[in-house]
Amino acid sequence: MSTGGDNFSHLIRSNSVPSLHERNLVRGLISDLDKDISKVDLTIAELRKRLNGFENQRTGLTERRATYASIVSPLRYIPLEILGHIFIYASADDTSFALRASHVCRLWRQASLAMSELWSTIKVGFVSFPSELSLEKYIETYIHRARSRPLSLIYKHHRVPYDPTGVIRKVAKDCQWKVISLTSTKMSFPPIIKSLMATSWDVLESLTLDGCKDGFSTVESCFRESKADLRLIAASRLKKLRIAIYSPIDSRILQAPWSQLTELYLKMTSASRRKILDILRQSPKLEIFTLNAEVFENLDDVVANRIHLKRLRKLHFHSHSLLISRITDALVTPNLEDLIVDARDEPPDFSNENSRLKKYLKKCAPPLRRLWLSGVGSEDVEALVPILEELEELTLVTLEEVDEDMLLPLTVRYGPKKKVDDWSEESDKSDDDIEYYSETEDYSVPLPKLKVLKIIGQVLPHHQKAFIRLVQSRWWPDEEDVNPRPFARLRSASFQNRNEDHRAAVADQVEALSKEGLDINVLMPREGEFVPCFQTSDA
């Protein structure tokens, strides 16, 4: 390798013009360096070629190792039945898992084909089918591999650009269906129901019919069909019924074997209180009931006998407050745990002692654990808190401004601090003050079992600070558990403020609480985030 740069140090350190002799020497030095660089480049290229060879060799060895390792893999020792059950669990949220699992290897294919339950649920519309022929082959494959097991059909029209009614009727007419769920804006329901139900009345356990305003008018004709084999009353094992009707329908034609029903969802533009109460009266095993009605009728008739639903755990209303109050006025639900009241018109006045809904809440308050209310005001909150001692989750949606008067009834007020010396002689001695939770007028714990709190509404900055004080009164870090407080610790708090600019006023407090371990949100909800639901609801 060429050297000699030190002979030109006086030129390197200055801008002096080199002599002719010096220029010739420098050009010779550059030429020598170029040769040296070329030699190094050749060496690098040779080393890279060898490195690539070693990398390819390693890849081959790794693949061979994986091949031999598969021989002693624990998966080979899993019984096919257990592997099949794993596949069933994995396919719950994966529409095409069964097909893909059957093409991995011989063992997986054997396990998947041996598990008929894996193929008993046919989902259409979740994966794109380019033609009716491909859809037909898909359904036929599942039906064949499910063998004689009762089937489940879950159809959504999202990725099917054509009406699949003809294909489903052709392929599935002779099968027994345990679950039928049809959600479509294009499907003609009566003919497909006629085909599917011909051999399924004695095995059907769950039925869902949901469609758009135009497409769902056909559901009415489905129930009006004169032939007895098209009436739901023949489905003797029906446990779950979900019907969403977006056009006027005479609810008197809605007939089913209500005595076995455990879950009922009714969404319709019009609802007869008398018909709804008749349905509930015939449903002694009902555990979950949801009513979503736009228009109501027959509210003035008096219910002679109360309806006792001892098994009802979840009751969800999305309707007018008058219809809700009239229905709850007839109900006795001693084991109710979840209640949603999503009133669409003028909300119920809970501050009124004659409020029908308030009287109902008093009746079911002891077991009630989760409550979702819309349209409430500060007076409503103050009136409800004393009767909801067992409540664990509370959501309040208000159209008016959330102020301190609404938040104060939910805030814990503590008693005075006392020195340990003021306690009995048996107490441990300490110089530190401790919080003394006394049963005095200065100490109150509203909703002592509350763990989840969500408030949605328009809030001003200084009122958001009141919410932070509310949260701080019901929550404490783990290190403060030495002297536990005599009520449940809040584990989740959400203040969905509709004004984004106001959130900055409490950003520091929210961040501090979050760092200490509290699940807290102060956010502006977007459209669609007001769907009534519960965070801690049991499955």
Side-chain angles (χ1 to χ4, degrees):
M1 182 175 293
S2 301
T3 58
D6 294 341
N7 298 329
F8 303 99
S9 57
H10 65 287
L11 294 174
I12 294 174
R13 296 173 182 175
S14 68
N15 290 324
S16 302
V17 178
S19 64
L20 178 61
H21 176 69
E22 288 174 333
R23 288 199 296 272
N24 290 334
L25 289 177
V26 170
R27 290 192 180 100
L29 181 59
I30 293 173
S31 177
D32 292 340
L33 291 172
D34 288 338
K35 292 178 183 179
D36 293 339
I37 292 172
S38 297
K39 290 179 181 180
V40 173
D41 288 341
L42 290 175
T43 302
I44 292 173
E46 183 179 352
L47 292 175
R48 283 178 176 169
K49 184 177 180 180
R50 294 183 62 188
L51 179 61
N52 290 336
F54 285 129
E55 289 178 345
N56 293 334
Q57 183 179 358
R58 188 184 187 283
T59 301
L61 293 173
T62 302
E63 291 176 352
R64 287 183 62 191
R65 184 191 182 283
T67 301
Y68 289 122
S70 66
I71 297 176
V72 294
S73 171
L75 287 176
R76 288 179 177 256
Y77 302 95
I78 298 179
L80 291 181
E81 183 179 358
I82 295 178
L83 188 59
H85 283 289
I86 294 175
F87 289 166
I88 292 174
Y89 178 81
S91 65
D93 299 321
D94 190 339
T95 303
S96 59
F97 179 84
L99 287 174
R100 291 188 286 106
S102 65
H103 288 77
V104 171
C105 63
R106 292 180 181 179
L107 178 66
W108 281 35
R109 183 173 182 82
Q110 186 179 358
S112 61
L113 295 181
M115 187 60 63
S116 60
E117 185 180 351
L118 183 64
W119 307 93
S120 62
T121 300
I122 304 173
K123 296 182 180 180
V124 179
F126 299 85
V127 179
S128 178
F129 294 96
S131 65
E132 293 187 11
L133 181 61
S134 62
L135 176 60
E136 180 177 341
K137 290 182 177 180
Y138 169 79
I139 297 177
E140 284 180 338
T141 298
Y142 272 76
I143 292 175
H144 174 72
R145 294 179 178 179
R147 296 187 280 279
S148 59
R149 177 180 289 274
L151 302 169
S152 299
L153 174 63
I154 301 175
Y155 172 80
K156 291 188 178 181
H157 71 274
H158 305 302
R159 296 191 178 183
V160 181
Y162 46 83
D163 185 355
T165 303
V167 175
I168 296 177
R169 291 179 63 193
K170 174 184 176 181
V171 179
K173 62 181 180 179
D174 296 326
C175 302
Q176 288 190 318
W177 298 94
K178 181 176 66 174
V179 176
I180 298 176
S181 177
L182 306 176
T183 303
S184 176
T185 60
K186 302 178 180 180
M187 180 179 290
S188 178
F189 285 105
I192 193 171
I193 288 294
K194 184 175 181 179
S195 297
L196 294 176
M197 299 305 299
T199 58
S200 303
W201 287 117
D202 58 341
V203 297
L204 184 67
E205 295 182 1
S206 176
L207 175 63
T208 298
L209 299 176
D210 193 347
C212 71
K213 195 168 192 177
D214 297 330
F216 211 95
S217 59
T218 56
V219 172
E220 182 173 355
S221 61
C222 172
F223 288 111
R224 288 184 186 274
E225 186 67 40
S226 59
K227 294 183 179 180
D229 62 350
L230 282 184
R231 303 185 69 82
L232 290 177
I233 197 66
S236 58
R237 295 189 179 184
L238 190 64
K239 296 180 180 179
K240 296 182 180 181
L241 178 61
R242 180 184 177 93
I243 296 182
I245 302 174
Y246 298 86
S247 58
I249 183 173
D250 185 353
S251 57
R252 291 175 297 179
I253 66 177
L254 187 58
Q255 297 186 25
W258 311 111
S259 60
Q260 301 299 317
L261 217 61
T262 60
E263 183 175 339
L264 176 62
Y265 176 96
L266 295 177
K267 182 175 183 179
M268 53 188 70
T269 55
S270 62
S272 166
R273 171 178 177 254
R274 180 178 297 175
K275 178 60 179 179
I276 292 172
L277 293 179
D278 286 343
I279 291 175
L280 296 177
R281 186 175 287 106
Q282 301 174 57
S283 309
K285 296 183 179 181
L286 200 62
E287 299 178 7
I288 302 173
F289 176 54
T290 300
L291 176 64
N292 192 328
E294 295 288 346
V295 184
F296 52 90
E297 55 190 31
N298 298 332
L299 292 181
D300 296 329
D301 53 329
V302 179
V303 179
N305 299 318
R306 294 286 182 258
I307 302 173
H308 292 261
L309 297 175
K310 296 181 180 180
R311 299 189 182 185
L312 193 67
R313 298 182 295 107
K314 300 181 181 181
L315 182 58
H316 300 172
F317 288 110
H318 312 274
S319 186
H320 298 268
S321 59
L322 186 56
L323 176 62
I324 296 172
S325 61
R326 291 297 177 87
I327 291 179
T328 55
D329 190 38
L331 297 181
V332 178
T333 54
N335 297 305
L336 190 68
E337 297 180 359
D338 292 13
L339 177 61
I340 290 178
V341 179
D342 183 16
R344 291 176 178 164
D345 56 350
E346 176 136 356
D349 183 9
F350 292 103
S351 60
N352 185 354
E353 288 299 325
N354 295 320
S355 168
R356 295 173 183 263
L357 195 52
K358 183 178 180 179
K359 291 180 179 178
Y360 174 71
L361 281 174
K362 285 184 177 179
K363 289 189 295 183
C364 63
L368 192 64
R369 297 167 57 192
R370 291 170 284 269
L371 180 62
W372 197 104
L373 293 175
S374 67
V376 295
S378 56
E379 294 181 356
D380 297 320
V381 176
E382 187 175 2
L384 287 174
V385 165
I387 65 175
L388 300 172
E389 291 296 313
E390 301 295 318
L391 208 63
E392 297 180 7
E393 179 172 349
L394 176 62
T395 298
L396 301 175
V397 181
T398 177
L399 299 178
E400 63 183 56
E401 181 182 305
V402 179
D403 55 17
E404 293 189 49
D405 292 335
M406 182 180 294
L407 301 176
L408 188 60
L410 301 171
T411 305
V412 176
R413 291 184 300 172
Y414 294 108
K417 287 185 178 181
K418 289 190 176 183
K419 290 282 188 178
V420 174
D421 292 341
D422 295 335
W423 285 52
S424 63
E425 296 180 358
E426 289 78 11
S427 302
D428 294 334
K429 301 296 182 178
S430 172
D431 293 333
D432 297 329
D433 286 349
I434 66 171
E435 203 72 63
Y436 177 57
Y437 306 101
S438 59
E439 297 294 336
T440 65
E441 294 181 357
D442 296 327
Y443 172 67
S444 65
V445 182
L447 308 181
K449 296 186 178 181
L450 190 66
K451 297 178 182 177
V452 178
L453 175 63
K454 181 186 293 185
I455 299 177
I456 303 173
Q458 178 68 37
V459 192
L460 296 177
H462 59 283
H463 292 153
Q464 283 191 147
K465 295 178 180 178
F467 175 75
I468 296 299
R469 289 196 296 271
L470 186 162
V471 172
Q472 290 173 333
S473 74
R474 310 192 69 100
W475 182 86
W476 56 93
D478 290 334
E479 57 267 20
E480 293 185 14
D481 278 342
V482 179
N483 297 304
R485 310 186 192 190
F487 57 92
R489 177 169 58 175
L490 197 68
R491 72 184 190 197
S492 179
S494 179
F495 203 171
Q496 297 191 2
N497 188 4
R498 293 176 178 173
N499 191 320
E500 186 174 12
D501 295 335
H502 294 166
R503 287 182 288 161
V506 292
D508 293 339
Q509 294 96 321
V510 170
E511 184 178 1
L513 289 169
S514 179
K515 286 182 178 180
E516 290 180 347
L518 176 64
D519 177 16
I520 182 170
N521 279 315
V522 177
L523 52 89
M524 183 176 67
R526 299 180 178 86
E527 184 178 358
E529 291 183 348
F530 295 99
V531 178
C533 61
F534 292 114
Q535 182 173 324
T536 60
S537 184
D538 300 329

